[in-house]
Amino acid sequence: MSNLTQNLVNPNTQPLVIGEFSIRQDDDGRYCLNDLHKASGDDKKHFPAYFLRNQQTKDLIEEIERYANSHIGQNINSANLQSAVKIINGGNSRGTYVVKELVYSYAMWISAKFHLQVIRAYDSMV
């Protein structure tokens, strides 16, 4: 997705750029882990699915969603449930999309160097 397309999808946000990679976002502003994986070097041992299977990641997702949903005044069965992870299986937006906190956690899981790159890229975007 080009930067222009990115901004049309989410006009209130700038794209997160790491090196030569522009990290796509979904309509809710979540970032694409598949794009982050490519930006990190595309090492097979760092597939997003492996990260999401990690118990510490599962615990973090649960905590993020619990916090988000307690702050929108809805119960857990509500249709307005805020999800930290969204998987899109078809079309041009195919990928696994996650909230910013999981972007940081994924980068930290890969390496200290990549974690620092993500922090600096996000800081320069904001």
Side-chain angles (χ1 to χ4, degrees), residues 51 54-66 84 101-102 104-106:
F51 169 72
N54 181 309
Q55 187 59 50
Q56 186 173 359
T57 302
K58 290 178 183 180
D59 293 345
L60 180 57
I61 291 168
E62 184 178 317
E63 191 61 33
I64 290 167
E65 290 178 350
R66 180 178 313 139
E101 293 88 348
L102 289 170
Y104 284 138
S105 183
Y106 179 69

Side-chain angles (χ1 to χ4, degrees), residues 4-83:
L4 178 59
T5 306
Q6 176 87 27
N7 288 330
L8 290 175
V9 171
N10 294 305
N12 296 324
T13 62
Q14 295 179 339
L16 178 61
V17 178
I18 300 172
E20 61 188 54
F21 295 92
S22 182
I23 310 305
R24 293 174 292 156
Q25 288 181 271
D26 69 4
D27 292 336
D28 295 318
R30 295 179 200 93
Y31 297 92
C32 183
L33 278 186
N34 305 80
D35 294 347
L36 284 161
H37 179 244
K38 289 176 188 169
S40 75
D42 212 17
D43 192 332
K44 290 182 181 182
K45 71 179 182 179
H46 294 135
F47 278 142
Y50 300 155
F51 169 72
L52 292 172
R53 289 183 198 138
N54 181 309
Q55 187 59 50
Q56 186 173 359
T57 302
K58 290 178 183 180
D59 293 345
L60 180 57
I61 291 168
E62 184 178 317
E63 191 61 33
I64 290 167
E65 290 178 350
R66 180 178 313 139
Y67 179 84
N69 290 303
S70 70
H71 284 79
I72 61 171
Q74 303 291 325
N75 66 37
I76 198 73
N77 296 321
S78 171
N80 293 328
L81 179 66
Q82 299 296 312
S83 178

Side-chain angles (χ1 to χ4, degrees), residues 64-121:
I64 290 167
E65 290 178 350
R66 180 178 313 139
Y67 179 84
N69 290 303
S70 70
H71 284 79
I72 61 171
Q74 303 291 325
N75 66 37
I76 198 73
N77 296 321
S78 171
N80 293 328
L81 179 66
Q82 299 296 312
S83 178
V85 179
K86 181 178 181 181
I87 298 172
I88 300 174
N89 289 318
N92 293 335
S93 299
R94 183 180 184 139
T96 301
Y97 293 82
V98 299
V99 295
K100 178 184 72 171
E101 293 88 348
L102 289 170
V103 169
Y104 284 138
S105 183
Y106 179 69
M108 187 170 25
W109 178 72
I110 290 176
S111 72
K113 180 180 178 180
F114 188 62
H115 188 206
L116 187 56
Q117 284 179 306
V118 168
I119 290 170
R120 288 181 174 161

